[in-house]
Each structure stands twice: as structure tokens, then as C-alpha cells.
Amino acid sequence: MSDDQQNNWPYPGSRWWKFDFHTHTPASLDTSAWQKAKNTPDEVTPEKWLLKYMAAGIDCVAVTDHNCGAWIDKLKSAYDEMRQQANEGAAPDGFRELTLFPGVEISVNGGFHLLAILDPNATTSDIDSLIGAVEYKGTKGDSDGVTRAGPAQVMQSVLDAGGIPIPAHSDQDKGLLRVNPGTHESVLDANTVRQVMDIEELLAVEWVDTALPMPECVNRDADHLARVLGSDCHSFQGNGVPGSRYTWIKMANPSLEGLRLALLDGNGVSVRRSDEGDFEPFETPAHFVTGIEIESARFMGNGNPECLNFTPFCNALVGGRGTGKSTVVHALRLAYRRDEDLRRLREDAEPHQRFTSFAKPVRGRYGDGALRDNTEIRVNLSKEGVKHRLRWRQGGQGVVVEEQDAKGNWGETGSQAVTPERFPIRLFSQGQIAAMAGESRQSLLNVIDEGAGVGDLHRAFEDLKRTYFAQRAKMRELDGRLLGYPELERKLAELRRKLAAFAQSHHSKVLRAHQRALRQRREAETTFDQLKALPARIDSVAREIQIDDWPDGIFDAKQDMDILGWRGEVERVLSEAKDALSKVSQSLEQQVKVLSKDSRLAEWLKRVEQAKVDYESLQSKLEKQGVADPQAFGRLVQERQQLEDQLKQLNELRVKRTDLESENLSHWNRVVDARKAITSARREFVRTTLANNSFVRMEVVGFGFEARSIERDLREMLECQDDRFEGDILRETEGEEPGGLAFDLAQAEDRSRENILENVKKRLIEPDNGFGGHFQNYLRKKLEKPEFADRVRCWFPDDDLRIEYSRGGDGSNWSTITQGSQGQRSAALLAFLLAFGSEPLVLDQPEDDLDNHLIYDLIVSQIRENKLRRQLIIVTHNPNVVVNGDAEMVHALEFGGGQCRVEEQGALQEVAVREEVCRVMEGGREAFSRRWKRLGRGG
């Protein structure tokens, strides 16, 4: 986390502030180094003191000198002057915003120290009044005395002053809760300790060493207290310097009210200690929505665009019905082009119908539709640190995707694609969740596929199928060309018999020599042609020896010298290989030229030419003697040569066909493996995601188990999506025995499912009398196109999900989800959807149909866990979701004057926002009371 991130946090709502709860100034007399430096060049001035805390990145500092507040006004005056200089453009070096919380460390009668933190507007006078109220009798700035008032009275005086009491370094010397070494026994009187701990308004203790135990007398009572950390700085050297120990506090803005509410929330919610390790308060998700603008919709943004800005963490949209909350969700769905998610549901599903009704331009005063022809939706988002904007207009006009440059200007991106991979988001309404738990489980499978990254496996499966289809088509082409093979063999055999008659004559020697010479010449010429072509082939191989260049900017010339040096060695090795091949090519070309003039070749050519001369002489003699038809002999020899050439080509095709068939069989196995890989990836994702989940468990069933779902897949493949052939595809008529192909597959046991599927495919490709006549005729008509059989072979019903839920939500008493109530089904699916993912998650009224205990046990706990890794935007009517889910940003919407608008927006710590939540949400005050039951005031 950089100081720039911390200082320039651009997002609305609650954020984390670096808070030092315990500091000292030279007003504390035990700051020996500072006391010695007085009236020297090293004297600590208010300005130097402030700049030390600014340099440490502290946002809020409680000034808690021993029993005095002498430096409060000095520090505030110095800070105001520094800030004035900053406003005038002449800020002191190292200046940054800092909030001072006036306070004091009181030495309490009973033997412990107490931090009292007051409102930032408090002054030295207010601290003096508090010291007087508790009747401190020692030296101001020192701890040489204690209060005359007892512990309970001191605590009450701090509260009466509007302050927050926090026992200082409670586990250390002068601490309220320190124990004797090696025991759980309180050092202080147990009654004194309990007297303080029983005060309801006590919210926190300063605790230095988390390994130390609480006193046994208050151990249980102290569990609810926030354990904060301060530097207890007494000098700028050693361990307790500014920034050495601090506490992250989540507030909208630094204020005593915000601090009080954060302490009420406690550790892990709104309080995080600096010694907790790898906590990154300003780390944001890779993808999140920064805001949405809706312009010129029917009920929102008419006149001026309605703008909602979001925090990267948890956002809540609240308001009565009809105030535009779901409009924002629908607008996000349109901008992200995620309406396809709803189209995967059944057309009569309520979420699909609602969105369809919304996402069309209104026609007439009373027509359906929430959009107008000039409606525009703009969604600003951060994508891996780069600002983008998605735009949606009716009819898809104009630029869709824009990117912001360093100067803040928007420009069109090279790619205008809006895909889930490029701009991930999840949007779910309660109705959509309920539908996925019922008959729209395919939509849930799509969610699983996106979460598991199965897209590449799907694409690989489709690519393999396309290659399989292409191979099958090529095999059929070769089969067509090989149809004339038997007739060609017959003709060649007949010619050979005729020529054999000539060979049996006294001229057979000449004929055989001529035939042999012709064949030799043909083979020799083929060899020589191949030799002449080899150098060019070697050159071609040399040209292909290369590797892709690395894009500019990925590797640094200095930092990455090692890998860049390795890359150079790779290129050298490849260059040497290319040179070597080039030399081989040149050498071979020269040797071929030499071989073409070889004396042995010349001797052989003489024999071939002599055979030709002898043959021509024989022809002439035969013609003169009239022994046979010399023209017929020549023509037969020529025809035989042509037929032999054709047969050679067909034999090559037969080999190619055999090889292709073998390759196709191997490729078919890859198709099957690719389809199984999809199921395996889904299973592994579900298994990992739901490990130890106490609400829901799922099983991915390969190729499905529900007859109706299989029927839909099968009819889509067969292109008969009506009700025809019920008896053959799926027979579920009342009073008849069920049956059909889909039924057979649904009833198959897991271990035999693949065999049953292959049998179903075989029957579809080779229709038998087990089918009705009409279905047989339909299949045979389809099979007239051989591609249909290929499609059948590559058909696999989609997987399905067996979903079970825990009736008690505690991991026991599991039942199939179809037996659950609407609320139980929704809870089970919601538990799954909240269990994975880092992309923005938009939930529209997820609490509908859920019991109150499920809302808290499931939604609230999951919200708190989810927002640590992803952005949440939640539309809700339930105040518990907002309040106990600890939403960092709340938008309260209202309807008036024909338009939906944001009435209030901000963090829950802001009084106006809390009041609006209480006004519009039934049970809002009770929700705040349950969360902040110890607040006592301002809740």
C-alpha cells in the first residue's frame, strides 16, 4: 500500500484510517529526550511533532499526555497554519492531512492508566475540565499521583465529557488487565477490574501483546471489546516511534462518532491492528464498478442523469418498492450485456419476464417498458487498475467500450467486445436464484462453468468436434473417389492377359525388356525429381526455424539481463541451425548436379534407349509380317501404363483413407476425453467450493439424470423440438409404463451410463423396429445426409446437478432440494453463489423468502467474507443485510415527481444515512440496536 493510495482514496463510503491511539508530547514530563532538547536546535516543536506522524502515514492521532492537555491547542494551531500554507500552494515538506483527537492519559485511583479520547473540536480547556472533574491530585504532565475519584467515577466523567474511555496498555505495567506472570490471576484487585469492565459504554482496551491472557475474573466479559494498539510514543527513537504500532479504523470520515461506532463493531469488522500481518486496507479487487449513470430512462434520469458511485467493497441499495433499486440492477445487466443469463432460464420464469418487460422502449403513456429511445446507460469500472466505461444505448448505437487515458480523457478502445471474460460480473435476483434451484439448473451450470473457467474446455471440445466432422467428410470424399477401384483392377487384369500373349511369343524377350525399361525410367525419373526438390524442402525447413519476438515493454533491459541473455543464446543456437541446414541444402544441390552426370546413369540410359530401339524395331517387323496388330500392341501397353498410374494413385488414396480412419478413431477418443474433462472440471470446482459448506452440497452427474432435461437436449440435436415421437423419445403418459431413449438414459446407473448412451446413438444411426414407424422414417430421412450420423456420434447430454440442502443449515439432515421450501432452496443456492469468485457480485433482494436466522447466518456472514475479495452491490429490503453486513456505502432511493432518485448516500456512520435506513426499512432501528446494543446514544 502506498501513501498515495492512502491519501488519495477516491471511492465513497467507509474506508480505513491509520489511527494511533496513544501518543505523548513534551507536555509529558517522562519524555526525557524531549525534555533535554528544550531550548536547543533539537527541541521538538508542534510542527516537528506533527511532521513525524505525517511521515509515518498516520491519519488520526490521539494526543494523550499524562494528566494534562497542554499541547492540544499548540498542535491544533500549528496544524491549522500548516494546512493554510498547503491551501496557498506552499505546504511544508512532508505535509499530509491529519486529524487530531484531543485526549489525555489519566492515572486512575486503583492503579491503572486510562486513555480518554475526545472530539476533534475539543481544546486544552476541555482536557483541563476533565482532569478537574476526576480530581487528579498529582503534577500535570506527570504520573506522580492518582485521581481522587474511583475507577467507575472516572469512566463516567469521560463519558459525560462526550469522550471514549480506553484502558491504556491494559496488559502491561499500569494496565487494568495485567496478570501475574504464568497465571490468569489479575494483578489489580478483581473487584476494581470488574467494576470497570461492567460499564456498558466501555468499547475497547489498548492491548500490546496478543499472546498474553486476560484475567480469569473478566475473561468472558472482555471478548466483545475491541483491542486497539497505539505507539505510546515518548521519543522519536527506539521501538515506540510514530508508525511503530497503530490500529486501522474503518470510518466514513475521522470523527468521534465514527470512531465510537467502529469500536462497537470491533476487531475483524471495523478494527484491525497493525500486528495482524498481511492486512491490505487499500487493496482493491481486479475488477469493480466505480459508478453508474442512467440517463433519460422512463422513471430515472429524466432531465439530469442519475449517478450512483460505488465503493470497491460492499454497497447497499435501499428504499421502498418502486424506488428504482432493481432499475439499477437491470441497467448494469444491460451495460455488461449479461441479459443472456436470464434467457437461459425458462421463458415463463419470472426474472426473465421482468427483465424483458423492463428492457424495451415504452410506447404510449401506459405501455410496458422502462426505457426510451434516447436512454443511455454508462458504467464506469476499474479493470486491473485501468479505468473503463461501458455504454449502452437503444439499438446498440455508438461506441460501446471506452478507456480513460492519463489525462482523464475517454477514448474508444480497439476492441469493442463486451464479454464475461473481459468484463466479469455476476448478477442474481432472488427469482433467478430460485429458478436455478428448480428447473433451470442449466443456468446454474453456466455459472459453474464461468467460475471454474471451463470456457477453454468447452472451446476445445467444440474444436475437436469440428475436426472430427471434417475428417469424416474427408473420409466420405475418399470413399467416393475409391468407388472405381474394382473396375480399374478388372481392366488392368484384362490388359495384362492380352499383353501376356505377346510376351509368350518368340519376341517376348524384347517386349519384357521394353516393359522393364519403361518402368525403370518412370521410377528413376521419380527419384531424380525428388532429389532435385530436396534442397528446396531443406531451405523451407530452415526458414521455419524461428521463435516469436517478445513484445516491447515486458522485460527490462537492466533488471531482466539474465532472461534476455538466455534469449540471445537461444537465437544464436537457432541461427546456427539455420546456417547448417542452408549449407546442407547447397551441398545437396551440388551433389545432385554431379549425380545427374554420373557415368553409371549414362550407362543405364543407354540400355533403356536400346530397349526402346529394339521395341520399335519389333513393332515394325510385326507390322510388316502381319503377325499381329502393332497398333493394338502399342495402345495396350500405353493403356496399361495409364491404368497402372491410376491404380497407383488409388492405392495411395487407400493408404491415406486407412490412415485417416485410424486418425479419426484416435481423434474420436480425444472428443470423448474433452467432453469428460468438462464434467471433471465442474466436479472439482463444486467439490472445492463446497468443501465444509453447511448449507448446501452438490453432485455433478455426467450426461444428466433427469429425463425431461435429457429429452430437451435430444430433441434439440434431432431437430424435432415439438411433441412428436413421444413414445420413442420420452413416454411419461399416465397409466402407461414409462420409456423412450431419454428415459433409458435417465435410469442408467453411473457406471453404465456411457454404454447406454452409445447404445442409444447406435439405434439412432441404425433405426430398428423397436421404434415406431414414423420415427424410423424420420431418422432414415435425416440419415440421407451422412453428416447427421456424425452429429449423433458427437452428441452428449449436458451434465446435471443433484442438489441437497441441510434442513438446519448446520451440515446435518440433508434432503434433496426439491423437497425444500422456496426459502430453503434459495438459501442453498445463495450459499453456493457466495462461496466463490472475485468478480463484482450484484444481488437483487437475496433475502426474499429467507427466514431471519438464515439472513444473518448465511447472508450477513457471507457478505463480510465476500467483500474481502470482491465488490458487492446488494439491493435489499432487510436492514440486517445493510447494518450487520457492514455496508461501506449505502444509497437510499426514493420515488417522487415521477422519478426515482437517490435521497441519501454515504456510510452507516453518518447520521443522515442511518436515519434514512431507519425510515425506509422496517426494523431498521432494531437492526442498529442489535449491532450497536452498547451504543447508548446516537444509534
Side-chain angles (χ1 to χ4, degrees):
M1 176 206 60
S2 67
D3 186 66
D4 184 64
Q5 279 180 301
Q6 182 178 341
N7 243 353
N8 301 302
W9 183 252
Y11 308 111
S14 299
R15 53 157 285 192
W16 292 96
W17 304 85
K18 206 173 189 178
F19 206 121
D20 191 335
F21 278 88
H22 190 168
T23 68
H24 292 275
T25 75
S28 291
L29 300 182
D30 60 350
T31 56
S32 57
W34 293 344
Q35 302 304 317
K36 291 178 182 178
K38 285 184 177 180
N39 301 317
T40 74
D42 295 328
E43 180 177 6
V44 176
T45 64
E47 292 81 4
K48 288 181 180 178
W49 192 93
L50 290 168
L51 286 171
K52 282 290 185 179
Y53 282 91
M54 292 175 180
I58 300 297
D59 300 306
C60 307
V61 58
V63 184
T64 54
D65 283 312
H66 292 299
N67 303 296
C68 80
W71 261 50
I72 299 297
D73 289 351
K74 294 179 182 180
L75 289 171
K76 295 178 77 170
S77 177
Y79 179 77
D80 289 342
E81 184 177 345
M82 296 168 75
R83 189 172 187 181
Q84 179 63 32
Q85 293 173 354
N87 291 338
E88 294 172 355
D93 289 344
F95 175 82
R96 70 192 296 277
E97 296 287 336
L98 180 68
T99 301
L100 293 169
F101 282 78
V104 62
E105 183 175 6
I106 304 172
S107 300
V108 182
N109 185 349
F112 69 95
H113 288 185
L114 179 73
L115 301 176
I117 301 177
L118 304 187
D119 187 86
N121 292 321
T123 64
T124 296
S125 176
D126 295 315
I127 299 298
D128 289 341
S129 297
L130 177 58
I131 295 299
V134 299
E135 301 182 69
Y136 174 70
K137 297 304 179 182
T139 305
K140 286 189 176 183
D142 204 346
S143 301
D144 56 356
V146 295
T147 62
R148 178 172 294 175
Q153 291 173 293
V154 174
M155 293 280 291
Q156 189 58 52
S157 295
V158 174
L159 293 168
D160 290 343
I164 298 175
I166 301 176
H169 37 71
S170 297
D171 57 330
Q172 306 292 313
D173 186 40
K174 298 297 182 182
L176 174 71
L177 301 173
R178 67 188 186 278
V179 296
N180 291 315
T183 74
H184 288 73
E185 297 175 356
S186 174
V187 171
L188 298 186
D189 176 67
N191 290 326
T192 299
V193 174
R194 281 196 291 265
Q195 185 182 20
V196 175
M197 297 297 289
D198 285 344
I199 295 175
E200 188 174 352
E201 290 84 353
L202 179 63
L203 309 178
V205 295
E206 184 185 23
W207 197 269
V208 179
D209 187 350
T210 55
L212 292 176
M214 282 273 185
E216 188 175 8
C217 61
V218 296
N219 192 29
R220 293 181 181 177
D221 297 332
D223 287 344
H224 66 278
L225 295 179
R227 300 191 187 189
V228 300
L229 197 57
S231 64
D232 197 6
C233 174
H234 282 70
S235 76
F236 294 147
Q237 296 179 347
N239 295 326
V241 298
S244 60
R245 296 188 299 269
Y246 54 85
T247 307
W248 289 106
I249 297 294
K250 188 166 68 176
M251 304 179 281
N253 290 293
S255 68
L256 196 68
E257 177 75 356
L259 174 59
R260 180 181 285 113
L261 298 179
L263 295 177
L264 281 163
D265 285 340
N267 293 88
V269 180
S270 298
V271 177
R272 301 292 292 263
R273 296 162 55 96
S274 60
D275 58 4
E276 287 188 22
D278 57 356
F279 176 58
E280 294 290 344
F282 299 101
E283 183 177 358
T284 58
H287 299 263
F288 60 93
V289 181
T290 59
I292 184 171
E293 300 176 4
I294 301 174
E295 183 176 2
S296 300
R298 184 180 185 182
F299 299 115
M300 183 175 281
N302 255 340
N304 294 309
E306 192 66 31
C307 303
L308 287 81
N309 295 317
F310 298 123
T311 173
F313 308 121
C314 181
N315 304 267
L317 276 62
V318 304
R321 298 193 181 276
T323 56
K325 304 184 301 301
S326 293
T327 294
V328 177
V329 177
H330 291 326
L332 284 169
R333 193 180 294 279
L334 286 173
Y336 272 90
R337 277 65 175 176
R338 297 305 296 262
D339 43 316
E340 184 63 29
D341 294 348
L342 296 180
R343 292 197 179 97
R344 295 187 183 119
L345 304 176
R346 288 175 42 190
E347 290 188 5
D348 59 349
E350 181 187 13
H352 183 274
Q353 291 180 332
R354 286 194 175 194
F355 179 77
T356 302
S357 177
F358 169 89
K360 62 182 179 182
V362 62
R363 294 290 180 257
R365 185 173 181 180
Y366 302 106
D368 290 337
L371 306 177
R372 300 185 187 278
D373 291 333
N374 61 336
T375 297
E376 181 170 348
I377 300 167
R378 296 178 290 274
V379 173
N380 296 329
L381 58 96
S382 175
K383 170 182 164 60
E384 297 173 342
V386 180
K387 294 180 180 179
H388 285 72
R389 180 162 67 185
L390 304 181
R391 305 181 70 170
W392 181 93
R393 304 177 185 87
Q394 280 288 354
Q397 302 174 1
V399 177
V400 172
V401 185
E402 296 174 319
E403 186 175 317
Q404 195 175 60
D405 61 23
K407 296 181 179 179
N409 300 316
W410 291 104
E412 180 179 355
T413 61
S415 170
Q416 289 291 290
V418 182
T419 63
E421 291 81 10
R422 186 181 183 191
F423 298 109
I425 194 170
R426 300 223 179 279
L427 303 101
F428 298 113
S429 68
Q430 182 278 333
Q432 187 179 356
I433 293 171
M436 287 192 294
E439 295 186 10
S440 296
R441 292 188 300 275
Q442 178 57 50
S443 185
L444 182 57
L445 270 179
N446 293 326
V447 173
I448 291 172
D449 286 353
E450 285 187 24
V454 182
D456 288 343
L457 295 179
H458 277 291
R459 284 186 285 273
F461 176 55
E462 294 300 324
D463 287 345
L464 287 167
K465 285 201 300 183
R466 279 190 288 272
T467 301
Y468 177 80
F469 294 151
Q471 289 175 339
R472 298 290 297 180
K474 184 65 176 177
M475 288 170 61
R476 287 191 288 272
E477 177 194 346
L478 294 179
D479 287 340
R481 293 171 63 180
L482 289 169
L483 286 175
Y485 189 90
E487 178 63 16
L488 189 62
E489 279 190 316
R490 185 194 64 78
K491 289 181 178 179
L492 185 57
E494 186 176 310
L495 279 174
R496 284 172 174 168
R497 284 195 298 272
K498 292 179 180 179
L499 289 172
F502 283 97
Q504 291 172 2
S505 68
H506 63 283
H507 304 293
S508 61
K509 183 177 179 180
V510 174
L511 294 174
R512 283 194 299 272
H514 177 58
Q515 292 168 5
R516 184 168 58 253
L518 286 175
R519 291 173 181 170
Q520 288 179 352
R521 179 186 290 274
R522 183 164 61 245
E523 296 299 328
E525 287 175 350
T526 298
T527 299
F528 197 70
D529 288 343
Q530 290 174 341
L531 276 175
K532 288 193 293 183
L534 281 175
R537 289 175 64 185
I538 295 172
D539 281 338
S540 175
V541 172
R543 286 194 299 272
E544 292 176 357
I545 297 178
Q546 60 182 356
I547 56 175
D548 294 339
D549 291 335
W550 284 345
D552 293 339
I554 291 181
F555 297 95
D556 184 86
K558 292 182 178 180
Q559 184 176 351
D560 301 315
M561 289 179 63
D562 46 6
I563 186 64
L564 292 174
W566 175 84
R567 169 68 186 235
E569 182 67 16
V570 169
E571 292 176 347
R572 183 190 65 76
V573 170
L574 295 181
S575 177
E576 290 178 356
K578 292 175 69 172
D579 291 344
L581 284 173
S582 296
K583 291 177 182 178
V584 169
S585 172
Q586 295 169 5
S587 173
L588 179 59
E589 187 173 14
Q590 293 299 322
Q591 292 180 47
V592 169
K593 289 180 181 179
V594 172
L595 287 170
S596 67
K597 299 175 182 179
D598 193 287
S599 59
R600 290 167 294 181
L601 182 64
E603 286 298 321
W604 170 77
L605 281 172
K606 287 180 183 179
R607 292 200 305 275
V608 169
E609 288 299 322
Q610 185 60 50
K612 180 180 180 182
V613 169
D614 293 345
Y615 172 71
E616 289 174 348
S617 175
L618 174 61
Q619 277 190 311
S620 176
K621 290 179 181 179
L622 288 173
E623 185 177 351
K624 291 177 181 178
Q625 296 173 4
V627 174
D629 182 359
Q631 295 297 325
F633 178 75
R635 177 173 55 78
L636 290 175
V637 171
Q638 185 177 12
E639 286 183 9
R640 184 192 63 186
Q641 183 173 345
Q642 291 174 348
L643 290 176
E644 285 178 342
D645 288 343
Q646 292 177 27
L647 192 64
K648 181 179 180 181
Q649 292 176 5
L650 289 183
N651 278 323
E652 290 174 354
L653 288 181
R654 292 182 76 178
V655 172
K656 187 175 182 180
R657 177 24 172 109
T658 301
D659 291 343
L660 185 57
E661 184 175 29
S662 176
E663 182 182 349
N664 186 248
L665 179 59
S666 175
H667 192 84
W668 165 249
N669 292 328
R670 290 198 291 273
V671 170
V672 175
D673 289 343
R675 176 59 185 83
K676 291 180 179 179
I678 294 173
T679 300
S680 296
R682 288 167 168 172
R683 284 174 174 162
E684 178 60 19
F685 177 76
V686 169
R687 185 193 66 79
T688 304
T689 300
L690 293 180
N692 303 319
N693 192 293
S694 59
F695 284 93
V696 63
R697 62 187 184 189
M698 296 184 188
E699 176 192 0
V700 178
V701 181
F703 309 146
F705 66 89
E706 202 269 325
R708 286 288 182 185
S709 297
I710 297 173
E711 178 196 21
R712 284 192 294 270
D713 274 2
L714 181 54
R715 286 187 178 278
E716 182 178 354
M717 187 273 294
L718 294 175
E719 297 177 326
C720 59
Q721 292 162 290
D722 47 26
D723 293 333
R724 290 179 292 169
F725 319 126
E726 287 185 358
D728 300 300
I729 296 177
L730 178 61
R731 181 175 63 254
E732 290 185 326
T733 306
E734 186 176 351
E736 294 186 27
E737 184 177 351
L741 299 175
F743 179 81
D744 293 343
L745 276 172
Q747 294 297 305
E749 296 181 1
D750 289 347
R751 63 176 180 271
S752 61
R753 193 177 301 275
E754 286 187 51
N755 293 333
I756 299 296
L757 177 59
E758 288 306 308
N759 183 59
V760 166
K761 293 179 183 180
K762 182 178 180 181
R763 292 189 64 198
L764 290 171
I765 295 172
E766 302 172 4
D768 54 45
N769 291 331
F771 292 142
H774 292 300
F775 191 46
Q776 290 184 54
N777 293 337
Y778 180 83
L779 291 175
R780 291 190 178 106
K781 185 69 175 177
K782 284 282 188 181
L783 289 164
E784 290 177 2
K785 294 182 178 180
E787 297 85 356
F788 176 74
D790 296 340
R791 283 178 52 203
V792 172
R793 290 188 186 95
C794 287
W795 172 71
F796 298 88
D798 205 350
D799 299 336
D800 207 339
L801 295 164
R802 285 196 181 103
I803 308 173
E804 294 181 315
Y805 75 100
S806 170
R807 289 185 176 274
D810 57 359
S812 65
N813 195 13
W814 292 96
S815 299
T816 178
I817 199 167
T818 56
Q819 297 176 358
S821 67
Q822 182 71 31
Q824 289 166 325
R825 293 199 300 270
S826 296
L829 261 293
L830 192 56
F832 174 69
L833 297 173
L834 288 170
F836 67 93
S838 59
E839 62 283 290
L841 177 62
V842 182
L843 296 173
D844 189 357
Q845 297 171 213
E847 75 280 359
D848 282 9
D849 300 322
L850 298 189
D851 297 334
N852 281 331
H853 79 279
L854 282 177
I855 291 173
Y856 190 84
D857 293 345
L858 173 61
I859 299 181
V860 171
S861 61
Q862 286 291 322
I863 284 174
R864 290 184 173 183
E865 189 279 329
N866 265 254
K867 67 181 180 180
L868 298 177
R869 70 174 190 271
R870 74 195 314 178
Q871 181 187 45
L872 300 176
I873 300 174
I874 304 175
V875 172
T876 180
H877 291 293
N878 192 299
N880 287 303
V881 174
V882 182
V883 177
N884 294 303
D886 188 32
E888 279 82 3
M889 183 67 182
V890 178
H891 294 276
L893 281 78
E894 189 58 86
F895 181 80
Q899 288 291 289
C900 301
R901 64 183 185 279
V902 177
E903 185 73 14
E904 286 289 347
Q905 54 187 345
L908 285 171
Q909 288 91 340
E910 299 173 29
V911 174
V913 174
R914 292 207 305 276
E915 287 299 322
E916 189 65 17
V917 169
C918 293
R919 185 184 70 82
V920 302
M921 305 184 81
E922 183 179 351
R925 294 193 183 278
E926 290 79 3
F928 279 111
S929 177
R930 282 191 294 272
R931 178 178 174 185
W932 297 323
K933 61 182 178 180
R934 302 184 312 280
L935 181 57
R937 56 174 70 86

